[in-house]
mmCIF file of all heavy atoms in Angstrom:
data_model
loop_
_atom_site.group_PDB
_atom_site.id
_atom_site.type_symbol
_atom_site.label_atom_id
_atom_site.label_comp_id
_atom_site.label_asym_id
_atom_site.label_seq_id
_atom_site.Cartn_x
_atom_site.Cartn_y
_atom_site.Cartn_z
ATOM 1 N N GLN A 10 99.149 108.085 93.573
ATOM 2 C CA GLN A 10 100.086 107.971 94.693
ATOM 3 C C GLN A 10 100.838 106.659 94.701
ATOM 4 O O GLN A 10 101.902 106.580 95.312
ATOM 5 C CB GLN A 10 99.338 108.123 96.022
ATOM 6 C CG GLN A 10 98.696 109.481 96.234
ATOM 7 C CD GLN A 10 98.087 109.603 97.612
ATOM 8 O OE1 GLN A 10 98.806 109.660 98.606
ATOM 9 N NE2 GLN A 10 96.752 109.604 97.675
ATOM 10 N N LEU A 18 104.578 91.991 82.085
ATOM 11 C CA LEU A 18 105.939 91.475 82.281
ATOM 12 C C LEU A 18 105.898 90.002 81.900
ATOM 13 O O LEU A 18 105.051 89.257 82.367
ATOM 14 C CB LEU A 18 106.391 91.646 83.708
ATOM 15 C CG LEU A 18 107.706 91.039 84.130
ATOM 16 C CD1 LEU A 18 108.861 91.796 83.415
ATOM 17 C CD2 LEU A 18 107.921 91.117 85.625
ATOM 18 N N ILE A 27 110.452 89.986 88.783
ATOM 19 C CA ILE A 27 110.603 91.193 89.634
ATOM 20 C C ILE A 27 109.528 92.197 89.226
ATOM 21 O O ILE A 27 109.550 92.672 88.076
ATOM 22 C CB ILE A 27 111.999 91.788 89.536
ATOM 23 C CG1 ILE A 27 113.046 90.779 89.968
ATOM 24 C CG2 ILE A 27 112.068 93.040 90.403
ATOM 25 C CD1 ILE A 27 114.484 91.242 89.808
ATOM 26 N N TYR A 32 105.902 104.860 95.047
ATOM 27 C CA TYR A 32 104.818 105.624 95.709
ATOM 28 C C TYR A 32 105.320 107.045 96.000
ATOM 29 O O TYR A 32 106.518 107.306 96.028
ATOM 30 C CB TYR A 32 104.387 104.956 97.012
ATOM 31 C CG TYR A 32 105.448 104.753 98.058
ATOM 32 C CD1 TYR A 32 105.580 105.694 99.101
ATOM 33 C CD2 TYR A 32 106.310 103.673 98.047
ATOM 34 C CE1 TYR A 32 106.541 105.558 100.065
ATOM 35 C CE2 TYR A 32 107.257 103.525 99.005
ATOM 36 C CZ TYR A 32 107.404 104.467 100.024
ATOM 37 O OH TYR A 32 108.356 104.291 100.967
ATOM 38 N N PHE A 40 102.727 98.371 103.229
ATOM 39 C CA PHE A 40 102.667 98.065 101.791
ATOM 40 C C PHE A 40 102.277 96.614 101.570
ATOM 41 O O PHE A 40 102.747 95.721 102.295
ATOM 42 C CB PHE A 40 104.026 98.378 101.150
ATOM 43 C CG PHE A 40 104.466 99.774 101.417
ATOM 44 C CD1 PHE A 40 105.233 100.069 102.570
ATOM 45 C CD2 PHE A 40 104.143 100.804 100.560
ATOM 46 C CE1 PHE A 40 105.650 101.367 102.807
ATOM 47 C CE2 PHE A 40 104.557 102.112 100.804
ATOM 48 C CZ PHE A 40 105.291 102.408 101.964
ATOM 49 N N LEU A 41 101.505 96.393 100.506
ATOM 50 C CA LEU A 41 100.966 95.062 100.313
ATOM 51 C C LEU A 41 101.038 94.741 98.803
ATOM 52 O O LEU A 41 100.993 95.605 97.970
ATOM 53 C CB LEU A 41 99.491 95.004 100.712
ATOM 54 C CG LEU A 41 99.095 95.490 102.106
ATOM 55 C CD1 LEU A 41 98.746 96.987 102.098
ATOM 56 C CD2 LEU A 41 97.888 94.743 102.637
ATOM 57 N N SER A 59 106.857 99.710 107.196
ATOM 58 C CA SER A 59 107.911 100.649 106.826
ATOM 59 C C SER A 59 109.140 100.493 107.775
ATOM 60 O O SER A 59 110.172 101.107 107.486
ATOM 61 C CB SER A 59 107.405 102.063 106.846
ATOM 62 O OG SER A 59 106.884 102.380 108.128
ATOM 63 N N THR A 70 109.281 87.439 97.989
ATOM 64 C CA THR A 70 109.993 88.354 98.869
ATOM 65 C C THR A 70 109.647 89.770 98.439
ATOM 66 O O THR A 70 109.677 90.086 97.199
ATOM 67 C CB THR A 70 111.538 88.170 98.733
ATOM 68 O OG1 THR A 70 111.869 86.813 99.057
ATOM 69 C CG2 THR A 70 112.257 89.108 99.688
ATOM 70 N N LEU A 80 109.152 99.886 96.100
ATOM 71 C CA LEU A 80 109.154 98.517 96.588
ATOM 72 C C LEU A 80 109.066 97.571 95.383
ATOM 73 O O LEU A 80 108.669 97.974 94.295
ATOM 74 C CB LEU A 80 108.007 98.270 97.616
ATOM 75 C CG LEU A 80 106.576 98.361 97.190
ATOM 76 C CD1 LEU A 80 105.728 97.447 98.026
ATOM 77 C CD2 LEU A 80 106.069 99.775 97.374
ATOM 78 N N PHE A 113 95.696 101.650 95.685
ATOM 79 C CA PHE A 113 96.209 100.629 94.772
ATOM 80 C C PHE A 113 96.886 101.208 93.552
ATOM 81 O O PHE A 113 96.511 102.276 93.063
ATOM 82 C CB PHE A 113 95.062 99.725 94.263
ATOM 83 C CG PHE A 113 94.562 98.723 95.282
ATOM 84 C CD1 PHE A 113 93.569 99.103 96.180
ATOM 85 C CD2 PHE A 113 95.062 97.463 95.322
ATOM 86 C CE1 PHE A 113 93.104 98.204 97.112
ATOM 87 C CE2 PHE A 113 94.592 96.530 96.243
ATOM 88 C CZ PHE A 113 93.627 96.914 97.149
#
Side-chain angles (χ1 to χ4, degrees):
Chain A
Q10 297 187 69
L18 175 66
I27 300 176
Y32 62 96
F40 304 90
L41 309 89
S59 59
T70 303
L80 64 153
F113 284 87

